[in-house]
Amino acid sequence: MFEVHQNPQPRTEAERAAILADPGFGLHFSDHMALATWTADLGWHDREVGAYRPFQLDPASAVLHYAQEIFEGLKAYRHANDSIWLFRPDKNAERFARSAARLALPVLPTEDFLSSIETLVTTDQAWVPGGGESNLYIRPFMFANEVFLGVRPARTVTYCCIASPAAAYFPNGVQPVNIWLSMNYVRAAGPGGMGAAKTGGNYAASLVAQQEAYEHGCEQVLFLDGAERKWVEELGGMNVYLVAGDELITPALEGTILEGVTRDSVLTLGAERGLVIQERRIAIDEVLDGIESGAITEIFACGTAAVINPIGSIKTAEKTYTINGGQSGPHTDGLRSTLLDIQYGRAEDTHGWMHKVC
Ligand SMILES: *Cc1c(COP(=O)(O)O)cnc(C)c1O
């Protein structure tokens, strides 16, 4: 149970309306946040939804030094009848538990994860934008909050969940993204590393490659595996799919990539479109040759934020490989609209993926 302590000074209705009229992404936060504390002695306690406010962190707080931290990302969707829904939040709860285990953090029980989100979203339901493909982005996270510079799993841990109104990812229609193929950097070490955990450290490792991408006129990075630099893994924060003929192909889960909820949903929706699903290793040469020969007709990235994002080109130091003339393709567009229609309640939820909050 997350007990609600109302923020004594919430934003006025006019202030909130001004933010919701043009929320951008990750810039504004709702009036409340969920909190819980774990200590080695007491386990999880002090669960509450209270006023959104800064933390007081001791300079010796362990997370600032050793990055023992994990997070999640999901959205609350307002349907036409004003009800508010989550998409497969149980999958995020399970992944949060797996990430916690990998980072030697305590597992937050699924019911606490879900109730923190439900209580926060219910309390701040006025912050869920309506209309278009706007949403309330939800960010649960957990970090080592013990004041101690020794290296071991922290004995004091903070769980927090904040919420941020977000505009439609593509306000002016879907824009294909241009991808830089990183040969100098990997995002995750390989088997035994933490590539499958949703942790800030993987993002920190990806930023220098993203800088390189910008310098080459690309927006995002495609990473290869850490061991051989041969196999396609994923982007910095999105999984990747290829379409070749009637095949829908994505890298298999071998513990080095993030197990995306969107990735998993696309496996189901792709099969329903009649595509033949393949989860397997994909050599980068197969991808580049396939683009050149025309065997690969579509490539897209997927994740909660962008949902499904067509990839227009892959750029290497030598060459730019343009897919489908740099345009999105029919399966990319079809999967994207099918998924969005389910999330926004415009299509029947035949898989039981939607979870009503209020
Ligand atoms: C969060 C994330 C994804 C996408 O996962 P979804 O559950 O679909 O949002 C993919 N790759 C990485 C590295 C991520 O952190």
Side-chain angles (χ1 to χ4, degrees):
M1 264 280 286
F2 283 71
E3 209 175 293
V4 179
H5 303 283
Q6 291 290 338
N7 185 339
Q9 289 174 303
R11 255 70 53 87
T12 65
E13 220 167 292
E15 285 169 328
R16 189 176 64 234
I19 290 170
L20 293 186
D22 183 20
F25 178 80
L27 295 168
H28 303 280
F29 301 92
S30 68
D31 286 317
H32 296 85
M33 65 187 196
L35 269 181
T37 301
W38 181 90
T39 57
D41 291 345
L42 296 177
W44 286 107
H45 57 278
D46 287 350
R47 296 167 181 83
E48 68 144 349
V49 166
Y52 185 96
R53 59 193 184 274
F55 292 124
Q56 270 203 327
L57 277 192
D58 191 284
S61 192
V63 67
L64 301 176
H65 304 273
Y66 308 126
Q68 194 191 2
E69 182 270 353
I70 57 170
F71 66 95
E72 271 301 325
L74 63 165
K75 291 171 172 174
Y77 308 85
R78 187 181 289 280
H79 287 184
N81 66 0
D82 269 341
S83 56
I84 296 170
W85 299 74
L86 305 172
F87 180 74
R88 308 185 77 186
D90 48 310
K91 299 290 274 182
N92 298 90
E94 289 163 15
R95 187 170 66 195
F96 200 54
R98 291 196 301 276
S99 298
R102 178 62 185 85
L103 273 287
L105 285 162
V107 168
L108 182 72
T110 294
E111 55 272 28
D112 282 332
F113 181 88
L114 294 178
S115 98
S116 72
I117 294 172
E118 289 180 25
T119 309
L120 176 61
V121 172
T122 303
T123 306
D124 279 340
Q125 55 186 276
W127 285 90
V128 183
E133 268 146 23
S134 57
N135 55 79
L136 185 67
Y137 183 79
I138 298 161
R139 168 55 59 88
F141 60 103
M142 187 195 289
F143 61 93
N145 197 3
E146 183 176 352
V147 180
F148 180 53
L149 290 186
V151 179
R152 59 154 168 74
R155 291 179 186 154
T156 303
V157 171
T158 296
Y159 167 75
C160 182
C161 182
I162 56 177
S164 176
Y169 194 88
F170 294 112
N172 306 312
V174 176
Q175 294 291 323
V177 63
N178 301 305
I179 300 288
W180 172 247
L181 178 64
S182 177
M183 296 309 291
N184 291 327
Y185 304 105
V186 295
R187 65 171 280 282
M194 56 184 195
K198 208 165 175 77
T199 177
N202 289 333
Y203 280 72
S206 75
L207 297 179
V208 66
Q210 181 152 1
Q211 223 164 29
E212 212 179 59
Y214 292 149
E215 283 160 14
H216 289 89
C218 298
E219 297 94 66
Q220 301 219 26
V221 180
L222 177 62
F223 289 99
L224 302 180
D225 73 292
E228 295 179 69
R229 306 274 176 108
K230 175 175 175 188
W231 308 103
V232 172
E233 295 220 311
E234 59 172 320
L235 308 195
M238 283 193 271
N239 295 114
V240 64
Y241 271 94
L242 318 173
V243 178
D246 66 350
E247 287 173 353
L248 184 62
I249 312 167
T250 196
L253 301 173
E254 298 188 54
T256 58
I257 64 171
L258 208 281
E259 198 172 324
V261 178
T262 320
R263 176 191 179 281
D264 185 74
S265 307
V266 166
L267 289 175
T268 300
L269 298 178
E272 287 174 5
R273 286 179 73 78
L275 293 166
V276 178
I277 308 294
Q278 289 192 20
E279 289 181 84
R280 61 167 169 86
R281 288 196 165 189
I282 306 167
I284 185 62
D285 288 343
E286 176 188 348
V287 176
L288 300 180
D289 293 348
I291 297 171
E292 290 222 295
S293 74
I296 292 174
T297 50
E298 302 178 42
I299 305 184
F300 62 85
C302 66
T304 295
V307 189
I308 288 180
N309 196 339
I311 293 178
S313 68
I314 298 178
K315 191 169 184 180
T316 69
E318 290 80 40
K319 207 169 161 175
T320 300
Y321 298 80
T322 303
I323 304 119
N324 193 33
Q327 298 304 306
S328 189
H331 291 300
T332 305
D333 289 343
L335 287 163
R336 181 181 164 78
S337 52
T338 302
L339 195 47
L340 283 165
D341 285 347
I342 296 170
Q343 291 172 335
Y344 284 90
R346 301 183 295 247
E348 196 192 339
D349 171 26
T350 56
H351 308 93
W353 284 344
M354 301 307 291
H355 179 101
K356 189 173 180 190
V357 177
C358 57

